[in-house]
């Protein structure tokens, strides 16, 4: 994961807009699912969602020519065990949590 993040950060065609480190231990229950707050209906350990999310733009000659250089993409870096949790009902639990909050 660190090597991948290093490659993205040092790519001269990439402009990083935001990084959310949801792997860090300080990411609390609701913070993991919603980006902040502490009164979420589901706890982070029930969703199992941990990743590093990078919002970025690619500004290369090709994206400039195609007028795509303003498009923002999200790259999610996660470890295989977390991917398995995410794939096995983790996202469904997140959607349930988000719907309860009305987002």
């Amino acid at each position: 994961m660190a090597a991948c993040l290093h490659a993205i950060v040092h790519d001269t065609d990439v402009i990083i807009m935001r990084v959310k480190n949801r792997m860090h231990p300080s990411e609390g229950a609701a913070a993991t699912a919603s980006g902040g707050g502490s009164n979420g209906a589901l706890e982070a350990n029930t969703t199992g969602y941990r990743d590093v999310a990078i919002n970025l733009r690619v500004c290369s000659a090709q994206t400039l020519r195609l007028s795509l250089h303003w498009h923002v993409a999200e790259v999610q870096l996660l470890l295989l065990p977390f991917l398995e949790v995410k794939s096995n009902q983790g996202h469904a639990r997140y959607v349930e949590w988000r719907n309860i909050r009305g987002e």
Side-chain angles (χ1 to χ4, degrees), residues 2 5-6 9-10 16-17 26 33 60 71 73 83-86 102:
L5 184 57
H6 184 270
V9 167
H10 290 90
I16 296 176
M17 307 299 291
S26 70
S60 65
H71 182 81
L83 176 62
E84 291 166 352
V85 169
K86 179 181 175 181

Side-chain angles (χ1 to χ4, degrees), residues 16-84:
I16 296 176
M17 307 299 291
R18 178 176 68 171
V19 176
K20 291 174 84 176
N21 182 3
R22 293 183 286 226
M23 296 291 289
H24 194 276
S26 70
E27 284 291 319
T32 298
S34 71
S38 61
N39 53 355
L42 295 179
E43 298 295 314
N45 58 5
T46 63
T47 64
Y49 198 83
R50 294 280 191 229
D51 68 3
V52 175
I54 306 163
N55 296 114
L56 56 82
R57 294 179 18 225
V58 177
C59 290
S60 65
Q62 185 175 9
T63 61
L64 287 167
R65 184 172 38 82
L66 297 171
S67 297
L68 297 174
H69 59 289
W70 290 110
H71 182 81
V72 177
E74 181 173 274
V75 175
Q76 296 177 353
L77 304 177
L78 59 157
L79 302 174
L80 185 57
F82 291 109
L83 176 62
E84 291 166 352

Side-chain angles (χ1 to χ4, degrees), residues 41-42 47 89-102:
L42 295 179
T47 64
Q89 301 300 320
H91 186 70
R93 287 190 293 257
Y94 165 75
V95 170
E96 177 185 343
W97 178 89
R98 185 192 63 208
N99 289 345
I100 289 170
R101 287 184 44 103

